[in-house]
Amino acid sequence: MSYRETLVSRTATDVDRLEMRLELTAESVRQARREVAEFARRHELANPGDVALAVSEAVTNAVVHAHRGDEAKGMRVVACARETGLVVVVRDYGVGMSPNPDSPGPGLGLSVIGALAAEVNIERPGDGGTRLRIRFPLAA
């Protein structure tokens, strides 16, 4: 699979919206971190450094854990600038959150994200995979 798509749009509920469809690669981690941090900086809604670190952790989790030997289906990263703050959603289409026998052990990614965010929700969509919804506090 080889695709990379970035969309910027406006909807009735969002002030502005950034959407990326990415492969499950290390380059996608860098791209998501860079683009979402710039989006946060442009809208002055959250600390861009905190956003960059949390997005890096969330996207890395998808890259490392979403697929095990099957064909990778990619991921989607969406950032929404709202009047109430910044919301970032990282959605993979893999195996969901389950123990990985090839993993060296639990990491600190979700703990780091939780420390940086105002709210974190982990969801299991009906069609599989994992959706991580992160709401960041407004910048001081």
Side-chain angles (χ1 to χ4, degrees):
M1 172 185 350
S2 175
Y3 62 85
R4 180 177 289 160
E5 178 181 343
T6 302
L7 302 171
V8 178
S9 64
R10 296 180 187 274
T11 67
T13 58
D14 301 328
V15 173
D16 199 2
R17 178 182 173 104
L18 169 71
E19 181 172 344
M20 294 176 279
R21 295 184 188 276
L22 302 165
E23 295 177 356
L24 293 167
T25 65
E27 176 54 35
S28 293
V29 175
R30 289 186 288 276
Q31 180 185 358
R33 177 183 58 233
R34 183 178 54 248
E35 290 191 33
V36 177
E38 178 53 36
F39 185 84
R41 188 175 296 108
R42 187 170 63 246
H43 291 288
E44 299 178 345
L45 289 174
N47 179 318
D50 290 351
V51 172
L53 179 54
V55 168
S56 292
E57 293 293 338
V59 173
T60 297
N61 280 348
V63 169
V64 172
H65 300 292
H67 298 279
R68 301 196 190 122
D70 58 346
E71 182 180 332
K73 299 174 185 171
M75 75 178 115
R76 185 170 165 232
V77 178
V78 178
C80 298
R82 299 185 172 160
E83 292 177 3
T84 58
L86 178 68
V87 175
V88 176
V89 177
V90 176
R91 167 74 158 98
D92 70 63
Y93 301 89
V95 297
M97 290 189 72
S98 61
N100 183 347
D102 295 328
S103 175
L108 298 174
L110 290 175
S111 297
V112 169
I113 295 167
L116 298 170
E119 182 179 353
V120 178
N121 293 305
I122 302 169
E123 304 165 1
R124 296 182 79 171
D127 60 345
T130 302
R131 181 172 37 234
L132 187 62
R133 187 180 313 269
I134 310 164
R135 186 176 62 80
F136 291 94
L138 291 171

